[in-house]
Structures are given as C-alpha cells and as structure tokens.
Amino acid sequence: MTKRPGATGAAHADDSASGTASSTAPGSALRQGSHPPPEELTDLRLLKALAQPRRQQMLQHLTLHGPATSSTLARALGLNTGATSYHLRELARYGFVEETSGSGHGRERWWRAVPGDRRFPPRSRQSPATRRVMDELNHLSYAADLDLFEQLQREADAGLGEWADAFPYSRGTIRLTLPELREFFEEYIALLNRYKRPAADTPAGARTVLTRLLAFPAPTAQPAPAAPASPSQNRKETELS
C-alpha cells in the first residue's frame, strides 16, 4: 500500500492487497496512463479491519507466495481454518482479497490479494481514532518488514546464490519543499509501475523483490543545553574592604 507524504501507515510496494498499482507491462501501459487512479482509504471500519495483526500476516503471505486456501494459510501461520476463513471473509468484504481459480481440487476456495494503489489520508486530516489505528498499522508493518529483512540476511549464505548480492541500499539527504516531496513520491510510484508486469511476461530467473520507501523530514534542531556553571562561577565574590 502506498502512502503519500503526510500520511502514515503500511507501505508495501508490491503487487498485492497492500500494493501500489495493478500489474502493467513495463513502460507502455503506464505511459498511456491506463493504470487505476489512487484510492484513499478513509473509512475507519475498513482501517480497523486492515489493522488486525492476523490479517496483516495473511496479506503478507498472499503477497509473497500467491493464492492460497484457508487451510494453507492456517498451516503456514499456526492458526485454525475457522480463524483464517473468518479473516479472509472480512478482508474480502473490504476488497483486500478475492476468490480466484486454484488447483481445482474438490470444493477448496482459493484466495488472492487484490492489487491496487491504496493510500491513507494525511495525518493532518486524520481523526484521533484514525491516528490510533494508523499508528498500529505502522507498528505492524515496520515490524514485519524488519523481520523479513533479518530473515533473508540469515539465509543469505544458505543457497541464495547470486541473489545473496540483492541488497541495494541507500541513505540520502535532500532539501525539498512539501510539494516537491509529493512530486518525488509520485515519481517513485511511477518507477515501480514501470517494472510491474503480469506473471506471464516475467522472464525466467525473476523473483519477488520487496521495495520500501521511507522519507521523513529531519527533526528540528534543538538548542544545545547550557553548560553547567563551574563552582567558581556560582560562588558570590565579596569585595575586600
């Protein structure tokens, strides 16, 4: 899920229920402006449904591993199928997942994450109740991202091959106005969309790459605390008579 400057919340930049935009072939469709416009999520009920920890885990699993049944999710996450079925229905109710064709075994219901450019309202337009929910979403999202990153680092020397070098990393500082920061963000989303494509158009050897953008204004500099006075400065001097 993308978020524009001023918003807070999960920011999973992948083709998922919390993703940026529906899949397009690199370049052509995007340049023609055919990708769906952003959708701002303002319904507090929807945000509360999304902020449920188990549902965040399920969305992450569907994002990383593709369509699954409630039984698959239950085994992967250590839940019972009743719980996963309930959470899937709630996520579907708000458009984050949908039923899809699966393996065709029996009456199994398969679910996939629904792609879309979903964004949160800027913090200045969030009610106190919305801010509390968004803070929880932030906490869940950042913790999940860190856990995924640390997991891959632990596995970097265990069979990743050339992908062990797949850790591009950048820390930078730029001076921007708020409108420029918004423009910077939209250009970042456009760059992601350039590389989105259907599975059928994905070349051999490709794998899912998680991208995250975190940009925030530097804290306002605080005046340095005054140095404590020395004892001689504190002592009252008396004049000699």
Side-chain angles (χ1 to χ4, degrees), residues 5-237:
T8 55
H12 299 280
D14 40 35
D15 199 18
S16 68
S18 300
T20 53
S22 59
S23 295
T24 59
S28 58
L30 175 68
R31 294 190 187 101
Q32 297 172 9
S34 62
H35 56 285
E39 174 192 4
E40 187 171 272
L41 306 181
T42 58
D43 188 332
L44 183 58
R45 294 171 301 175
L46 179 152
L47 295 174
K48 286 182 176 179
L50 183 62
Q52 211 282 342
R54 294 300 187 192
R55 294 170 196 164
Q56 284 289 301
Q57 290 181 304
M58 292 165 66
L59 282 172
Q60 177 175 284
H61 189 279
L62 293 173
T63 297
L64 297 179
H65 306 290
T69 66
S70 61
S71 298
T72 303
L73 291 169
R75 288 192 297 271
L77 302 177
L79 303 173
N80 61 66
T81 55
T84 54
S85 295
Y86 168 73
H87 290 312
L88 284 168
R89 290 194 301 270
E90 287 298 295
L91 288 169
R93 175 184 177 189
Y94 291 104
F96 295 112
V97 303
E98 65 183 8
E99 285 194 65
T100 185
S101 57
S103 63
H105 294 311
R107 300 175 59 185
E108 287 182 325
R109 300 175 68 182
W110 286 76
W111 301 85
R112 77 177 187 107
V114 178
D117 185 351
R118 302 182 181 92
R119 308 188 184 188
F120 301 117
R123 197 166 181 86
S124 61
R125 288 198 284 107
Q126 295 175 10
S127 67
T130 298
R131 288 184 181 182
R132 287 192 293 271
V133 175
M134 296 308 306
D135 288 344
E136 177 63 17
L137 263 173
N138 272 331
H139 174 76
L140 293 172
S141 300
Y142 298 156
D145 287 343
L146 183 60
D147 183 67
L148 283 171
F149 184 72
E150 291 180 341
Q151 176 184 339
L152 190 60
Q153 283 190 310
R154 291 193 297 268
E155 299 172 358
D157 297 324
L160 279 180
E162 63 182 2
W163 283 93
D165 295 332
F167 291 86
Y169 178 67
S170 172
R171 298 180 73 210
T173 302
I174 50 179
R175 293 186 63 82
L176 300 172
T177 64
L178 188 54
E180 288 173 334
L181 181 57
R182 294 191 178 108
E183 182 179 358
F184 177 88
F185 175 77
E186 294 300 338
E187 290 182 6
Y188 166 77
I189 298 304
L191 177 63
L192 288 181
N193 285 328
R194 279 178 50 198
Y195 286 88
K196 287 186 177 294
R197 54 195 161 196
D201 296 335
T202 301
R207 60 182 296 172
T208 298
V209 175
L210 304 180
T211 61
R212 304 291 186 261
L213 170 66
L214 178 63
F216 53 92
T220 303
Q222 298 294 326
S230 65
S232 60
Q233 290 174 315
N234 290 332
R235 185 175 61 249
K236 182 179 179 180
E237 299 292 338

